[in-house]
């Protein structure tokens, strides 16, 4: 089934005309998704293969309400329910936590290519009393495939596409003995992504990913089992932000433009996908990840569970700021290179019951130690800017579930969290702690209709003053923030109709006190002007080095809306599914860093970059959206199976629609759009060979999805804007062998 809800189905659970039962582990126990009192969208291994999902970002088109964005290689975020994580905030400020085999991982890890995945569960709403760290708007749990104790199995696929795409993926595993099994998997993936072309250096955007994974699964007795996984990821790429508008020539702006662009006088539109930077924009990532999951049955109904993880990553990016293509004349801060190394250890120990009686419980403790070493260079403005932090997370949590009757149950959870952040550059240390929790009550009106109401609180720590200033000439407070607290209510119904249709609906309302936010590409000045507007430069002079950066802060916010998920088995051969979300997420009279070039207290980016009177960075009152996220998103899927003689065949379609969205950094509104993906395929009679032809973005809808605003040259408008765009149409073919 080409639907986000067709996962971990129980084979033989009903007649062929019935929907399969979808099993999830959101509550740390295997149970049908229709019996869990929270919104959960599930993506199975078959869905990933059927829709040719080749990286995590493409899950956006499968799960309505989920947003995964990459503004630059160093600015990647995962969002649910309109809540966006701050750029550069670090893993402790994730609004959506991501787990691989229940081990918390970074956003960079999560954005690597999907490889040999068993299941992905998208949990919406506050999390934190069952796993890892608290997260206010949700969690993604990714489970890899395990080795089988009974049979050898695997697959190999080869894919090519017209986006310079080449992908080879394979996995194989099986029993080593009656108690020990293995699985090996690997992938090589190369893709041109948005295919933005640089006419200055002749290069284009691309990404190349290599992943190698090995797993050992040991079950010497019925009471004890352990699963060990090791993974190494190597990713390299070149990332270009495109420009639109007329490239400047010497003499433009009344003679203020002194040097011509390499594209002097040429006009570019969105679909041209052109970049002008003289230098490359390379980025690279290396990641080593170990996960260990172990279970010991203390009694027939009580288990002791351990989850351990080790993650060692290295990330490098070199961003060229010569967006107008004027070359060496742009000698003030022409490029910034950042190297970040992070090493973390995490341990989680839980005692939990595994029965179906009146009372079930989970008691757990979680600890993580993360050490980050970073250095940034922006010559000639600064070199060797250090960012060396240590973050220690500690949590104690419990969840209690009471099944009062066959129809009524109550689940409550509470967690105490403590976060210590140490800046190893200046020796400062800051601690944050909070008690959070949740409660849900569910009632089974009929065997096929369940209703629930839930309430939850969440917490994100502040930065502890550990972050460096966005630019050395302004106070470090603009790179730091305080802690955040939120509370959420959700009401929902989960229903099954005629054994063929599931329809789930939920309404949510969440309020944030001190929502952690970041605003990128905000003008600043190193010399505030007490008498009026200051030039947005390091020294406050008109011809000084431009001063821009990602500014962070806190402001109250609200997120409310509703979600609807529908899955249906229309006939034995035809299935449909869809996820619709409406979210209104906005600030609540928050004072935030902003671009205000005319000093009237209202966002604008027209003309010469200026900063409000007496300030390092302008501040504006906002009730606007939290980020460039749509209020409406809708993903839909359909699959139809048929036969060509003795050859089984299929047609699959997947569409994603998003409404218009407002970009708060530059005050622009992006129009909504719809993309449609499709594939046709055929199996051999024994179904161990499969050939599919597929297309993504069939109707070639290209849309700007982020905006860097108008670009200036030494404070003079260049006539160009910078931004990023969505992928255009991609056509490919995949050959798969299953064994």
């Amino acid at each position: 089934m080409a639907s986000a809800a067709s996962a971990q189905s129980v084979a033989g659970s009903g007649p062929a005309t019935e929907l399969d039962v979808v099993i999830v582990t959101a509550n740390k126990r295997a149970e049908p998704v229709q019996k869990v009192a929270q919104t959960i969208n599930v993506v199975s291994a078959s869905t990933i293969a059927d829709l040719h999902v080749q990286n995590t970002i493409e899950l956006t088109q499968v799960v309505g309400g989920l947003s995964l964005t990459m503004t630059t290689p160093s600015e990647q975020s995962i969002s649910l329910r309109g809540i966006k994580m701050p750029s550069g905030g670090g893993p402790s400020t994730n609004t959506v936590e991501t787990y691989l085999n229940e081990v918390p991982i970074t956003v960079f890890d999560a954005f690597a290519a999907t490889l040999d995945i068993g299941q992905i569960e998208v949990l919406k709403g506050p999390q934190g009393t069952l796993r890892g760290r608290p997260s206010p708007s949700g969690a993604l749990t990714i489970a890899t495939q395990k080795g089988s104790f009974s049979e050898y199995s695997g697959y190999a696929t080869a894919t090519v596409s017209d986006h310079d795409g080449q992908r080879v993926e394979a996995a194989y595993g099986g029993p080593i003995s009656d108690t020990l099994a293995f699985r090996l998997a690997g992938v090589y993936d190369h893709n041109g992504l948005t295919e933005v072309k640089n006419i200055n250096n002749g290069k284009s955007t691309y990404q190349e990913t290599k992943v190698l994974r090995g797993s050992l699964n040991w079950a010497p007795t019925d009471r004890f089992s352990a699963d060990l996984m090791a993974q190494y990821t190597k990713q390299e790429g070149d990332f270009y932000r495109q420009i639109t508008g007329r490239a400047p020539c010497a003499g433009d702006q009344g003679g203020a433009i002194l040097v011509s662009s390499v594209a002097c006088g040429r006009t570019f539109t969105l679909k041209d996908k052109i970049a002008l930077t003289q230098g490359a924009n390379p980025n690279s990532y290396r990641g080593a990840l170990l996960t260990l999951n172990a279970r010991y049955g203390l009694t027939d109904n009580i288990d002791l569970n351990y989850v351990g993880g080790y993650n060692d990553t290295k990330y490098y990016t070199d961003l060229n700021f010569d967006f107008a293509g004027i070359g060496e004349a742009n000698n003030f801060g022409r490029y910034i290179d950042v190297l970040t190394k992070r090493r973390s250890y995490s341990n989680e120990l839980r005692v939990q019951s595994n029965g179906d009686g009146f009372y079930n419980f989970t008691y757990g403790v979680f600890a993580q130690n993360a050490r980050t070493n970073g250095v940034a260079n922006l010559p000639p403005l600064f070199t060797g800017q250090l960012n060396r932090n240590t973050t220690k997370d500690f949590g104690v949590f419990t969840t209690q579930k009471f099944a009062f009757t066959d129809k009524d149950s109550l689940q409550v959870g509470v967690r105490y969290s403590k976060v210590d952040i140490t800046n190893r550059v200046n020796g400062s240390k800051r601690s944050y702690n909070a008690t959070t929790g949740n409660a849900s009550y569910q009632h089974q009106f009929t065997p096929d209709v369940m209703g629930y109401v839930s309430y939850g609180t969440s917490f994100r720590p502040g930065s502890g003053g550990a972050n460096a200033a966005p630019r050395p000439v302004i106070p470090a407070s603009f790179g730091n923030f305080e802690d955040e607290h939120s509370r959420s209510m959700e009401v929902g119904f989960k229903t099954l109709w005629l054994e063929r249709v599931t329809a789930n609906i939920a309404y949510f309302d969440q309020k944030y006190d001190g929502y952690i936010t970041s605003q990128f590409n905000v003008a600043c000045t190193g010399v505030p002007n007490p008498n009026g507007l200051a030039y947005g430069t390091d020294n406050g002079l008109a011809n000084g080095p431009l001063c821009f950066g990602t500014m962070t802060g806190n402001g109250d916010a609200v997120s409310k809306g509703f979600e609807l998920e529908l899955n249906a088995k229309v006939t034995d051969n035809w299935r449909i599914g869809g996820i619709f979300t409406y979210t209104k997420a906005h600030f609540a009279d928050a004072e935030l860093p902003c671009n205000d070039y005319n000093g009237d207290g209202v966002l604008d980016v027209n003309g010469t970059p200026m900063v409000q009177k007496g300030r390092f960075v302008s501040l504006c009152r906002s009730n606007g959206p939290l980020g460039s996220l749509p209020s409406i998103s809708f993903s839909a899927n359909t699959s139809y199976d048929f036969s060509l003689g003795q050859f089984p065949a299929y047609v699959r379609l997947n569409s994603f629609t998003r409404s218009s969205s407002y970009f708060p950094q530059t005050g622009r509104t992006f129009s909504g759009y719809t993309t449609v993906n499709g594939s046709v395929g055929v199996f051999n009679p024994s179904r161990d060979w499969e050939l599919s032809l597929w297309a993504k973005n069939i109707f070639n809808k290209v849309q700007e999805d982020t905006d860097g605003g108008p670009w200036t040259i030494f404070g003079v408008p260049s006539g160009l804007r910078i931004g990023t765009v969505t992928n255009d149409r991609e056509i490919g073919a995949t050959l798969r062998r299953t064994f």
Side-chain angles (χ1 to χ4, degrees), residues 287-579:
L289 178 64
L290 287 172
T291 68
L292 175 61
N293 301 75
R295 180 195 68 85
Y296 178 73
L298 298 174
T299 70
D300 290 343
N301 296 315
I302 300 177
D303 292 337
L304 178 66
N305 293 275
Y306 170 78
V307 179
Y310 168 77
N311 201 356
D312 191 346
T313 63
K314 177 181 178 182
Y315 183 79
Y316 173 77
T317 182
D318 188 357
L319 179 63
N320 191 290
F321 283 111
D322 180 26
F323 295 116
I326 64 173
E328 294 296 333
N330 186 17
N331 58 359
F332 285 104
R334 195 155 62 91
Y335 65 91
I336 181 170
D337 68 80
V338 179
L339 175 64
T340 302
K341 298 179 180 179
R342 182 178 183 273
R343 181 175 295 174
S344 69
Y345 305 85
S346 66
N347 294 278
E348 181 176 295
L349 191 65
R350 301 188 312 275
V351 176
Q352 66 185 71
S353 60
N354 56 22
D356 296 320
F358 165 76
Y359 173 61
N360 278 284
F361 60 83
T362 297
Y363 294 93
V365 59
F366 170 82
Q368 183 178 48
N369 187 315
R371 190 179 181 92
T372 302
N373 293 299
V375 59
N377 299 288
L378 182 60
L381 302 179
F382 64 85
T383 57
Q385 178 176 296
L386 300 178
N387 182 19
R388 295 179 176 174
N389 305 323
T390 298
T391 302
K392 295 181 179 180
D393 283 277
F394 176 78
V396 179
F397 55 90
T398 182
T399 297
Q400 312 284 312
K401 186 172 183 178
F402 304 90
F404 299 116
T405 69
D406 292 341
K407 296 182 177 181
D408 297 275
S409 64
L410 173 69
Q411 182 167 297
V412 296
V414 65
R415 179 192 183 96
Y416 171 76
S417 302
K418 185 174 186 293
V419 182
D420 297 323
I421 301 174
T422 302
N423 184 328
R424 301 198 316 278
V425 176
N426 58 28
S428 64
K429 182 178 179 179
R430 180 80 180 272
S431 295
Y432 300 90
N433 63 81
T435 300
T436 57
N438 56 49
S440 65
Y441 171 78
Q442 67 185 80
H443 176 71
Q444 200 74 37
F445 292 94
T446 72
D448 296 332
V449 178
M450 185 269 281
Y452 66 91
V453 59
S454 64
Y455 178 82
T457 62
S458 193
F459 151 79
R460 289 193 290 168
S463 60
N467 295 338
R471 290 294 295 270
V473 296
I474 66 174
S477 59
F478 290 103
N480 289 277
F481 43 85
E482 293 302 320
D483 55 344
E484 165 199 290
H485 298 263
S486 64
R487 54 199 182 278
S488 174
M489 181 272 292
E490 181 175 325
V491 178
F493 291 90
K494 295 188 174 183
T495 66
L496 173 66
W497 302 87
L498 304 174
E499 306 298 331
R500 289 173 173 264
V501 180
T502 59
N504 303 332
I505 188 170
Y507 169 81
F508 62 90
D509 188 342
Q510 190 163 8
K511 293 180 173 58
Y512 289 79
D513 298 325
Y515 167 72
I516 298 171
T517 181
S518 65
Q519 311 291 317
F520 86 94
N521 207 32
V522 174
C524 52
T525 183
V527 184
N529 183 358
N531 302 313
L533 292 173
Y535 286 100
T537 56
D538 283 1
N539 55 19
L541 301 178
N543 62 348
L546 289 177
C547 184
F548 280 89
T550 296
M551 310 296 169
T552 60
N554 299 80
D556 292 345
V558 175
S559 172
K560 61 175 62 178
F562 68 90
E563 300 168 328
L564 173 65
E565 181 175 13
L566 178 71
N567 288 283
K569 191 171 186 179
V570 183
T571 70
D572 290 351
N573 298 329
W574 181 25
R575 303 187 182 213
I576 60 174
I579 301 172

Side-chain angles (χ1 to χ4, degrees), residues 141-219:
T141 66
I142 305 171
T144 61
Q145 295 280 16
K146 299 179 180 180
S148 170
F149 291 100
S150 59
E151 62 180 3
Y152 295 96
S153 64
Y155 65 89
T157 66
T159 297
V160 294
S161 81
D162 63 348
H163 273 213
D164 194 22
Q166 306 114 46
R167 180 183 176 92
V168 179
E169 178 181 346
Y172 183 74
I176 297 176
S177 68
D178 292 340
T179 61
L180 186 65
F182 78 98
R183 191 167 180 91
L184 297 174
V187 66
Y188 167 81
D189 184 88
H190 181 284
N191 196 277
L193 301 177
T194 58
E195 297 191 304
V196 173
K197 301 173 289 294
N198 189 314
I199 63 173
N200 200 331
N201 63 23
K203 298 182 178 181
S204 298
T205 294
Y206 81 94
Q207 182 172 280
E208 183 177 83
T209 304
K210 302 173 184 177
V211 183
L212 183 63
R213 178 189 299 154
S215 301
L216 283 176
N217 312 104
W218 186 39

Side-chain angles (χ1 to χ4, degrees), residues 18 34 126 156 160 183 220 225 227 232 236 276 284 297 333 352 373 404 406 417 426-427 473 532 572 635 679 725:
E18 295 182 4
Q34 292 298 102
V160 294
R183 191 167 180 91
S225 64
D227 302 316
Y232 178 74
E236 296 180 340
L276 301 178
S284 64
Q352 66 185 71
N373 293 299
F404 299 116
D406 292 341
S417 302
N426 58 28
V473 296
D572 290 351
S635 61
S679 64
V725 292

Side-chain angles (χ1 to χ4, degrees), residues 459-717:
F459 151 79
R460 289 193 290 168
S463 60
N467 295 338
R471 290 294 295 270
V473 296
I474 66 174
S477 59
F478 290 103
N480 289 277
F481 43 85
E482 293 302 320
D483 55 344
E484 165 199 290
H485 298 263
S486 64
R487 54 199 182 278
S488 174
M489 181 272 292
E490 181 175 325
V491 178
F493 291 90
K494 295 188 174 183
T495 66
L496 173 66
W497 302 87
L498 304 174
E499 306 298 331
R500 289 173 173 264
V501 180
T502 59
N504 303 332
I505 188 170
Y507 169 81
F508 62 90
D509 188 342
Q510 190 163 8
K511 293 180 173 58
Y512 289 79
D513 298 325
Y515 167 72
I516 298 171
T517 181
S518 65
Q519 311 291 317
F520 86 94
N521 207 32
V522 174
C524 52
T525 183
V527 184
N529 183 358
N531 302 313
L533 292 173
Y535 286 100
T537 56
D538 283 1
N539 55 19
L541 301 178
N543 62 348
L546 289 177
C547 184
F548 280 89
T550 296
M551 310 296 169
T552 60
N554 299 80
D556 292 345
V558 175
S559 172
K560 61 175 62 178
F562 68 90
E563 300 168 328
L564 173 65
E565 181 175 13
L566 178 71
N567 288 283
K569 191 171 186 179
V570 183
T571 70
D572 290 351
N573 298 329
W574 181 25
R575 303 187 182 213
I576 60 174
I579 301 172
F580 176 89
T581 68
Y582 170 79
T583 304
K584 186 173 178 59
H586 60 90
F587 290 106
D589 196 31
E591 188 176 57
L592 305 169
C594 67
N595 282 312
D596 177 20
Y597 290 0
N598 64 7
D600 64 356
V602 179
L603 169 71
D604 74 81
V605 290
N606 297 317
T608 301
M610 304 292 285
V611 178
Q612 294 168 353
K613 176 182 176 179
R615 299 185 188 275
F616 289 97
V617 176
S618 296
L619 298 176
C620 301
R621 287 283 174 183
S622 177
N623 289 287
L626 304 183
S628 183
L629 299 172
S631 58
I632 294 175
S633 68
F634 175 48
S635 61
N637 310 270
T638 185
S639 174
Y640 184 75
D641 298 325
F642 59 98
S643 296
L644 295 173
Q646 59 179 332
F647 298 97
Y650 59 82
V651 175
R652 299 184 178 115
L653 291 173
N654 161 242
S655 70
F656 173 71
T657 299
R658 58 176 287 166
S659 63
S660 61
S661 58
Y662 177 78
F663 199 62
Q665 277 78 8
T666 59
R668 291 185 73 192
T669 297
F670 299 143
S671 60
Y673 63 93
T674 297
T675 59
V676 178
N677 309 320
S679 64
V680 295
V682 61
F683 295 92
N684 67 334
S686 59
R687 302 183 75 97
D688 54 359
W689 284 94
E690 176 188 0
L691 175 64
S692 60
L693 304 178
W694 51 267
K696 298 178 181 180
N697 194 5
I698 293 173
F699 299 106
N700 202 30
K701 181 64 177 179
V702 177
Q703 178 74 29
E704 186 174 11
D705 56 358
T706 66
D707 177 35
W711 186 248
T712 61
I713 301 174
F714 303 116
V716 178

